[in-house]
Amino acid sequence: MQKLFLICFLVIIHSVSAQDRNVNSENVIQWQEAYRIEVSDFKKKRLPNDSYAFTAYKIEFYPSEVIVDMNDYIQGYELLTVVAEFHMDKSHFEAGYEKDLLKHEQITFDIAELFARKIRKRFEELKQKEEKRFAMYNNEYRQLWKACLEYQQEFNNDTNSGWGSPKKVEEWQSRINQELMDLKKYAIKPI
């Protein structure tokens, strides 16, 4: 009886702690405004030739099993969206560099959410036109994904990947926060 109680207690504790950062699997954190990534979220072991910090992120279609018929129409297209995800098992961080690099890695993840919102905005525009063809959504996704990668590169170049001036990092943080606010209408609750 005590073992059963202990197991139930541990399951409840694990569920509650996972909700704090919305880990939707063992290794994925969905972006959310109230949660800042922490060094403990970086699970990949840093190899000798790796950078001191690396944030692996994706902007994923949701639902993940999009059903497309033979005419390229999405079944349930009204539900189609994207989520920005941080992949813990593919991200690494060298302890001791929190002061210099953790903010840079958070901004990297914030940029992923910024472009997820841009994609959601474009998806909503397509939905208003009752567009059902997957190719149209996928085209918008690909264009904005490419823009996201270019924006990330601009950020890394301008801040020297977090090693540059702290003022530059702060400027980027303010810029991204403003852009996120401008697209707040397209924020979603963690799925």
Side-chain angles (χ1 to χ4, degrees):
M1 183 68 171
Q2 285 182 321
K3 283 185 180 182
L4 181 61
F5 176 75
L6 181 61
I7 290 171
C8 290
F9 178 74
L10 290 174
V11 168
I12 291 169
I13 292 298
H14 178 72
S15 298
V16 169
S17 66
Q19 288 174 1
D20 288 345
R21 59 181 176 176
N22 198 40
V23 177
N24 63 1
S25 79
E26 285 184 28
N27 293 306
V28 176
I29 300 172
Q30 289 184 7
W31 189 94
Q32 51 192 311
E33 190 172 353
Y35 186 77
R36 311 317 305 153
I37 53 177
E38 301 170 354
V39 174
S40 62
D41 294 328
F42 293 77
K43 301 294 186 190
K44 181 181 176 226
K45 182 180 178 185
R46 181 181 167 267
L47 301 175
N49 293 332
D50 285 342
S51 60
Y52 286 98
F54 176 74
T55 295
Y57 66 90
K58 289 183 181 179
I59 301 174
E60 289 284 347
F61 280 100
Y62 188 86
S64 55
E65 294 90 25
V66 176
I67 298 173
V68 180
D69 70 18
M70 60 190 236
N71 295 315
D72 193 41
Y73 291 155
I74 302 168
Q75 303 302 306
Y77 74 97
E78 304 89 349
L79 302 176
L80 188 65
T81 191
V82 293
V83 292
E85 299 176 337
F86 173 86
H87 288 258
M88 300 164 69
D89 62 332
K90 293 176 176 53
S91 301
H92 63 263
F93 196 96
E94 181 69 24
Y97 290 93
E98 293 87 343
K99 182 178 176 239
D100 298 311
L101 298 176
L102 195 55
K103 187 178 286 189
H104 177 272
E105 299 311 303
Q106 179 63 52
I107 296 169
T108 297
F109 193 28
D110 292 345
I111 291 172
E113 172 61 17
L114 172 64
F115 278 84
R117 290 182 188 188
K118 290 180 180 194
I119 294 168
R120 287 183 210 121
K121 178 181 183 213
R122 189 64 188 116
F123 280 12
E124 287 306 313
E125 292 166 356
L126 290 171
K127 290 173 188 178
Q128 287 176 357
K129 296 177 185 175
E130 297 185 6
E131 179 59 65
K132 298 176 185 172
R133 292 173 293 165
F134 181 73
M136 297 298 288
Y137 290 88
N138 196 39
N139 183 52
E140 295 298 328
Y141 173 88
R142 283 194 337 263
Q143 287 180 25
L144 287 164
W145 174 249
K146 182 180 178 198
C148 178
L149 297 176
E150 291 168 356
Y151 201 66
Q152 293 281 13
Q153 189 62 50
E154 180 185 348
F155 167 59
N156 285 328
N157 290 343
D158 201 34
T159 63
N160 192 22
S161 297
W163 292 105
S165 158
K167 183 179 179 192
K168 276 284 186 197
V169 174
E170 291 293 331
E171 288 171 6
W172 271 90
Q173 186 172 39
S174 294
R175 176 179 172 181
I176 300 307
N177 287 344
Q178 184 58 55
E179 291 184 70
L180 286 167
M181 285 301 293
D182 292 346
L183 292 168
K184 191 163 185 76
K185 175 180 178 182
Y186 301 99
I188 60 171
K189 293 180 177 155
I191 298 172

